[in-house]
Amino acid sequence: MSQSAEPQEIHYRRVLVKVSGEALMGSEAFGLHWPTIEGIARDLADARGTGAEVAVVVGGGNILRGASVAGRGLDRATADHMGMLATVMNALALEKAIEEAGSPARTLSAIPMPTICEPYARQTASRHLSRGRIVVLAGGTGNPYFTTDTGAVLRAAELECDAVMKATNVDGVYTADPKLDPTATRYERLTHDEALTKDLKIMDAAAFALAREAKLPIIVFSIRQPGAIEDAVRGRGRSTTVAP
Ligand code: UDP
């Protein structure tokens, strides 16, 4: 945890926010819902306004998930390439919305496509972050058979982020699915080991294993709550913190 920049103000100096593709579609069944994207972009710009450095890994599930279209002649690796391209579309939309919200932003793609955005390189991403730009990371890990959750943890680890902020539809991790069990209660804090022992599904297994190995805190909060990203950066608000 960082105490460097503005210790009273922000709890985390450099953060990686994971925004799923589904978060970008709002109430739609597919694709992009612009007012929703504008709201998320404002929240990201506000989080950066605290003085924190903000990177974002964006998913693609609002457009295409490899595993759900693979089969019947379409092999998994090709389907996953298509899924990664979906994340690039989302990243470009989010980059534009962040700039509209008043913050400089750059999209960096794990799959090089230099005519539309910069290729991902750790040093480039780090430089943009230290210059106050929000870095939108597209293409996940750049490899099939992975997810953008794994991409998020991987980038958070290599960019030396203080935490992964997992924006979901629920305001934290619960003892049971709160939609199915009204007695479910939210955890305020858990260790990675407790989450594993209790079999709480916070991220896919590869992503979670990497977070545990890198001792990276994961903050789970609801993207539906305006200002939630800034709250998470300031170490407040409704959320669950998974940390060693
Ligand atoms: N994907 C991939 N490798 C990665 C990240 C993503 O192949 O490192 C593909 C995969 O097909 C995945 C799709 O991109 O289904 C969209 O990513 P994800 O499902 O993680 O998006 P989210 O659920 O966050 O919207």
Side-chain angles (χ1 to χ4, degrees):
M1 238 111 321
S2 163
Q3 278 86 33
S4 61
E6 297 172 53
Q8 289 83 29
E9 283 276 305
I10 54 175
H11 199 66
Y12 301 105
R13 177 192 53 89
R14 177 178 280 191
V15 297
L16 187 305
V17 184
K18 163 68 206 294
V19 176
S20 72
E22 273 176 16
L24 303 180
M25 72 185 182
S27 51
E28 306 287 326
F30 175 83
L32 302 172
H33 183 244
W34 196 251
T36 301
I37 296 172
E38 285 176 324
I40 295 171
R42 266 195 306 275
D43 278 4
L44 288 165
D46 288 347
R48 175 192 159 270
T50 65
E53 296 174 358
V54 179
V56 189
V57 163
V58 66
N62 55 325
I63 300 171
L64 191 142
R65 280 205 180 90
S68 56
V69 298
R72 279 195 272 158
L74 183 59
D75 63 280
R76 174 69 188 268
T78 305
D80 279 341
H81 285 152
M82 293 163 66
M84 287 187 268
L85 293 177
T87 73
V88 179
M89 291 193 246
N90 286 335
L92 294 176
L94 193 57
E95 179 198 64
K96 189 53 71 188
I98 292 169
E99 293 209 313
E100 293 283 315
S103 170
R106 293 284 192 285
T107 297
L108 272 57
S109 172
I111 303 169
M113 40 182 89
T115 51
I116 60 171
C117 62
E118 293 178 51
Y120 174 78
R122 178 172 169 251
Q123 295 85 342
T124 313
S126 203
R127 193 176 62 244
H128 284 313
L129 287 170
S130 56
R131 291 183 180 169
R133 297 167 189 139
I134 294 181
V135 172
V136 184
L137 297 164
T141 65
N143 295 291
Y145 292 97
F146 288 102
T147 64
T148 52
D149 273 4
T150 305
V153 177
L154 174 65
R155 297 306 183 221
E158 65 177 328
L159 293 170
E160 298 177 332
C161 292
D162 300 315
V164 178
M165 312 260 155
K166 185 164 162 67
T168 71
N169 288 327
V170 190
D171 58 3
V173 181
Y174 279 73
T175 49
D177 184 343
K179 282 191 223 121
L180 304 176
D181 182 351
T183 66
T185 54
R186 182 173 55 83
Y187 293 105
E188 200 66 39
R189 205 177 166 87
L190 283 161
T191 65
H192 295 87
D193 287 343
E194 282 167 345
L196 270 184
T197 313
K198 294 180 197 297
D199 198 25
L200 300 167
K201 302 273 182 291
I202 292 164
M203 288 180 159
D204 65 77
F208 193 80
L210 185 53
R212 182 166 169 258
E213 159 83 24
K215 298 186 168 43
L216 251 174
I218 306 169
I219 323 296
V220 183
F221 62 94
S222 171
I223 192 77
R224 291 163 185 243
Q225 181 66 46
I229 302 174
E230 179 179 341
D231 280 347
V233 165
R234 291 190 187 280
R236 66 186 191 200
R238 281 177 75 83
S239 61
T240 298
T241 300
V242 183

